[in-house]
Amino acid sequence: MTVKPQSLALQRQLIQQLADGKLHSGEALAQQAGISRAAIARHIDQLGQLGLDIYAISGQGYRLAQPLQLLDLAQMKRWQHVDAPEIWLQHLTDSTNSQLLKRLQDQQPMQKGQVLVAEAQSAGRGRRGNQWFSPFGSNLYFSMYWQLEQGIQAAMGLSLLVGIVIAELIEQQYQAQVALKWPNDIYADQKKLGGILVELSGQSHAHCDLIIGIGLNILMPVQGKQQISQGFTDLQSQCACAIDRNQLVPMLQQRLISKLQQFEKTGFAPFAEAFNQRNQFAGQQVQLTGGAEPNVGICLGVDEQGGLLLQQANGVRSFYGGELSLRARSV
Ligand code: BTN
């Protein structure tokens, strides 16, 4: 969806007014915005298209299904270390990964660890060309720039490491149980909680630029059920505590930076056990698709390079490659 800049500013103002979850009359909203009630109705309709659950109560006004905590740079800064790389915030963007990739292509400077988050994505991207449903204000759409001196071959282990960082953060901060599905899915309660999309730019042998994209369901609006084909869950359903996205973003940035720095020194090997402890399909018969032919075996976890270990009739084999997917096989 394309939204004009002046509409964007107006919508931001409307969302700020509605964020308290209380009922606001169309007349009051129109007065504050200096536009007609019909124009307010049109903007509310557009906000619904951004994935916000807004109830229009006849003769009374509008209210959100639940109060919304908006992302706020000043609040995020309070949780950042003084020397932490900058966090950028966009209200609505096509895709946070695409935005950072574009900066790389345009040779605009970026600092390792620099982050872009958005309240909504109009063209959020998942793995294997899938769309990533990105409703406004409820989830996390996070992309971070990194550069690997070791070159492209190290990126496989890196994306698994990102999953481990997210799992540890959720377990420690929100006391929720998380599992990891090789290579890039975050699971809770047997359902998808989030996903990772690591994209590379440049073919250099000396170093490669990476955009680490993370989508994490925090409080999925009702529309999610119609838009997402596979079983999903959100963090709020998995933990009893309140989730402050303005705290979560800088914490995730900090933990990623620190673990990625460690990874640069040691490679993936010291992290393999952390993945295997959370392996969603441990000991199950699985089918690996996406290669020339499907491979079946018992899922043993990952090896020291991050390859998937399958126990097959003729022994244990490792599988690599970013575009493979793993499905539990019915026997
Ligand atoms: C998956 O398919 O599981 C990966 C989903 C990755 C989604 C995130 S949201 C932030 C970043 N921007 C995108 O367009 N995609 C990633």
Side-chain angles (χ1 to χ4, degrees):
M1 182 180 21
T2 6
V3 187
K4 291 190 201 125
Q6 64 270 39
S7 303
L8 216 63
L10 222 141
Q11 286 174 8
R12 195 174 304 142
Q13 186 189 326
L14 268 179
I15 293 166
Q16 269 158 0
Q17 285 166 290
L18 292 167
D20 59 9
K22 293 182 183 150
L23 187 67
H24 294 260
S25 74
E27 198 178 330
L29 292 172
Q31 247 174 31
Q32 276 149 2
I35 55 175
S36 69
R37 285 172 63 173
I40 288 288
R42 276 197 304 278
H43 283 291
I44 293 280
D45 190 50
Q46 281 192 2
L47 291 179
Q49 289 175 38
L50 286 180
L52 273 175
D53 288 333
I54 307 181
Y55 298 132
I57 301 162
S58 173
Q60 293 187 50
Y62 305 95
R63 75 170 179 81
L64 289 177
Q66 57 233 339
L68 204 68
Q69 182 220 26
L70 296 171
L71 289 172
D72 178 331
L73 281 178
Q75 286 196 48
M76 285 190 251
K77 216 167 173 48
R78 285 179 38 216
W79 296 100
Q80 273 191 305
H81 289 184
V82 272
D83 53 354
E86 202 179 344
I87 296 174
W88 291 319
L89 168 62
Q90 287 186 349
H91 178 78
L92 170 67
T93 189
D94 52 354
S95 145
T96 52
N97 263 33
S98 302
Q99 288 294 313
L100 293 192
L101 281 170
K102 187 168 179 310
R103 284 190 73 90
L104 277 177
Q105 276 148 20
D106 295 347
Q107 298 187 337
Q108 289 179 278
M110 274 195 285
Q111 198 186 344
K112 257 171 113 169
Q114 194 140 12
V115 164
L116 170 64
V117 282
E119 285 285 22
Q121 298 182 120
S122 57
R125 294 184 289 108
R127 295 181 68 245
R128 296 185 299 279
N130 290 331
Q131 187 194 341
W132 188 257
F133 178 57
S134 309
F136 189 96
S138 25
N139 297 327
L140 184 74
Y141 317 115
F142 175 109
S143 295
M144 188 168 104
Y145 167 67
W146 198 256
Q147 193 178 66
L148 267 186
E149 301 306 328
Q150 295 96 323
I152 278 170
Q153 70 285 354
M156 168 78 198
L158 179 143
S159 75
L160 297 180
L161 176 68
V162 173
I164 295 167
V165 170
I166 298 168
E168 287 178 347
L169 170 57
I170 292 175
E171 288 161 2
Q172 289 161 16
Q173 191 67 24
Y174 305 111
Q175 286 77 49
Q177 272 293 306
V178 177
L180 296 169
K181 176 185 165 193
W182 188 92
N184 282 137
D185 285 346
I186 321 284
Y187 266 57
D189 192 20
Q190 319 280 329
K191 288 169 275 197
K192 186 153 169 168
L193 176 65
I196 299 156
L197 177 68
V198 176
E199 296 186 287
L200 311 171
S201 173
Q203 296 296 316
S204 161
H205 294 294
H207 74 261
C208 75
D209 293 307
L210 299 156
I211 304 301
I212 301 166
I214 298 169
L216 195 63
N217 302 334
I218 308 284
L219 185 59
M220 188 62 89
V222 181
Q223 292 185 32
K225 292 205 177 68
Q226 291 120 40
Q227 304 268 354
I228 304 174
S229 52
Q230 72 183 125
F232 69 88
T233 184
D234 59 23
L235 192 51
Q236 193 60 80
S237 320
Q238 299 298 323
C239 78
C241 48
I243 298 151
D244 178 350
R245 292 185 304 151
N246 290 313
Q247 181 188 18
L248 177 58
V249 171
M251 275 192 320
L252 182 56
Q253 178 196 37
Q254 188 50 47
R255 282 176 178 241
L256 280 171
I257 292 173
S258 126
K259 288 283 165 136
L260 287 169
Q261 284 168 344
Q262 205 179 324
F263 170 85
E264 286 184 338
K265 294 192 194 108
T266 63
F268 182 70
F271 301 103
E273 185 49 29
F275 185 96
N276 290 334
Q277 281 166 5
R278 300 176 174 84
N279 180 8
Q280 170 73 23
F281 289 105
Q284 291 185 47
Q285 186 159 44
V286 294
Q287 179 171 296
L288 197 56
T289 55
E293 57 193 45
N295 273 290
V296 175
I298 305 288
C299 179
L300 300 181
V302 292
D303 65 18
E304 297 203 331
Q305 283 77 46
L308 180 74
L309 289 169
L310 288 189
Q311 171 80 60
Q312 298 186 309
N314 47 1
V316 177
R317 272 179 73 191
S318 291
F319 293 89
Y320 300 90
E323 290 311 315
L324 297 175
S325 74
L326 192 64
R327 303 202 184 287
R329 186 171 180 254
S330 43
V331 279

